Amino acid sequence: MFDNLSVLLPRLLSGLPYTLAAAAGGIALTIVLSFAAGLGLLAPSRTVRGITRVYVEGFRGTSEVVQLFWIYFVVPILVGLELLPLTAGILVLGLNHGAYGAEIVRGAVQSVPRAQLEGAIALNFTPAQRMWRVVLPQAVVEMLPSFNNLFIQLLKSTAILFFIEVPEIFKQGEILRPAWGKDIGLIYLVELVLYLLLAIVITGVMRWLEKLAARRIGRTAPSRERALAKVSGGGV
C-alpha cells in the first residue's frame, strides 16, 4: 500500500501552502467578523442588531458551497470585479465561520458577571473602557475553547475550494486519483493525516492562548479545565 508514498507525498504536499493560506486568511477574517458581529448583536441600536442578525442567520442558514459559488461566480458579474479563486475561498471561509463566531462572542460577553460591570461603572469607566478593560479580557477566556473548534472546522472546510480549482491538498489528491487509482486508499490516508496534523497545531496554539489569557486575568486554569474538574468531582 505504501510502495508509491515517496511519489505521491510530494504531489499532495504541493497543495499544503494553499491550504495553509486559505486557513490562515479565513481564520483572520473570522476573528474580525466574529467580534464585529458579536458586539453588533449586543449593540444598543436596533438597526445595528437587525443588520447583524441578518448576516449571522444568512450565512449560518445557507450552504457553504453555494456561498462559494455565489461569491466566485455571481459577485464578479454584479460588481464587475473578478476574484482570484483563493481570495474568493478566504472570503467565504471568513464570512461563513464569522457568523458562527459571532454567537460565540455574544455568549461569552454576556457570561461576564454583572457585578464586574457594576464595579466598572462605579469606577466611572466609559462604555468603551468597560468593554476593553473589563468585559473582553474575561470573555476571551470563555470563547477560546469554542474558537478552537471553529478554527478546526474552518480548516476542514478548506477542501471545498476544490470546486473552484484552488490547488489545495484535496484538489491535489483528486488530480492524482485518475492515474493512481490503485493507490486511492493511500492518497486519502495521507490527506487525512495532513488535516489531522494541522488540526493538532491549531489546538496546541489555542490551548497555549487559553492559558495565557487565563493568567492575564488572574485565573489559574481556563474555565474549560475547571468545568471538567467539576464533572469529575474535583471541584475548583
Side-chain angles (χ1 to χ4, degrees):
M1 179 178 179
F2 296 96
D3 295 342
N4 294 316
L5 180 61
S6 61
V7 177
L8 297 174
L9 183 58
R11 293 286 301 275
L12 293 170
L13 287 177
S14 69
L16 183 60
Y18 293 92
T19 296
L20 290 175
I27 287 173
L29 185 56
T30 292
I31 293 171
V32 172
L33 293 176
S34 294
F35 277 89
L39 297 178
L41 291 173
L42 299 172
S45 169
R46 293 183 61 181
T47 301
V48 173
R49 293 199 308 272
I51 293 173
T52 306
R53 179 57 64 186
V54 169
Y55 157 66
V56 170
E57 298 304 331
F59 277 90
R60 290 201 311 168
T62 56
S63 167
E64 193 172 7
V65 174
V66 178
Q67 293 167 14
L68 179 65
F69 286 175
W70 178 267
I71 287 180
Y72 184 61
F73 293 111
V74 179
V75 169
I77 296 174
L78 296 178
V79 301
L81 178 63
E82 185 175 354
L83 296 173
L84 294 173
L86 183 58
T87 302
I90 290 173
L91 283 174
V92 169
L93 292 171
L95 287 166
N96 183 277
H97 292 83
Y100 288 94
E103 291 292 355
I104 295 174
V105 172
R106 181 189 62 80
V109 169
Q110 289 183 321
S111 72
V112 175
R114 180 67 185 175
Q116 298 286 334
L117 290 174
E118 293 173 351
I121 293 172
L123 292 172
N124 292 322
F125 282 9
T126 65
Q129 288 176 322
R130 293 199 295 269
M131 180 60 66
W132 291 105
R133 298 178 62 179
V134 178
V135 176
L136 283 182
Q138 298 179 73
V140 165
V141 179
E142 301 298 330
M143 66 179 73
L144 281 175
S146 296
F147 270 121
N148 183 20
N149 294 333
L150 186 65
F151 293 160
I152 291 175
Q153 185 61 48
L154 185 150
L155 167 67
K156 294 185 290 185
S157 292
T158 59
I160 71 171
L161 273 60
F162 152 80
F163 291 113
I164 57 172
E165 303 299 323
V166 175
E168 39 73 51
I169 292 173
F170 181 66
K171 177 64 177 179
Q172 295 297 335
E174 294 306 289
I175 292 173
L176 291 170
R177 186 161 58 89
W180 299 85
K182 59 186 178 61
D183 292 305
I184 189 65
L186 177 60
I187 291 172
Y188 288 143
L189 176 61
V190 173
E191 290 178 0
L192 288 172
V193 171
L194 290 175
Y195 284 117
L196 175 61
L197 292 175
L198 293 175
I200 290 173
V201 171
I202 290 174
T203 298
V205 171
M206 295 301 292
R207 288 186 176 174
W208 173 75
L209 289 175
E210 284 181 51
K211 294 177 182 179
L212 180 64
R215 285 199 298 268
R216 291 191 65 179
I217 64 171
R219 292 188 185 178
T220 57
S223 58
R224 174 176 53 81
E225 295 177 8
R226 296 202 311 275
L228 290 175
K230 289 182 179 180
V231 172
S232 62
V236 292

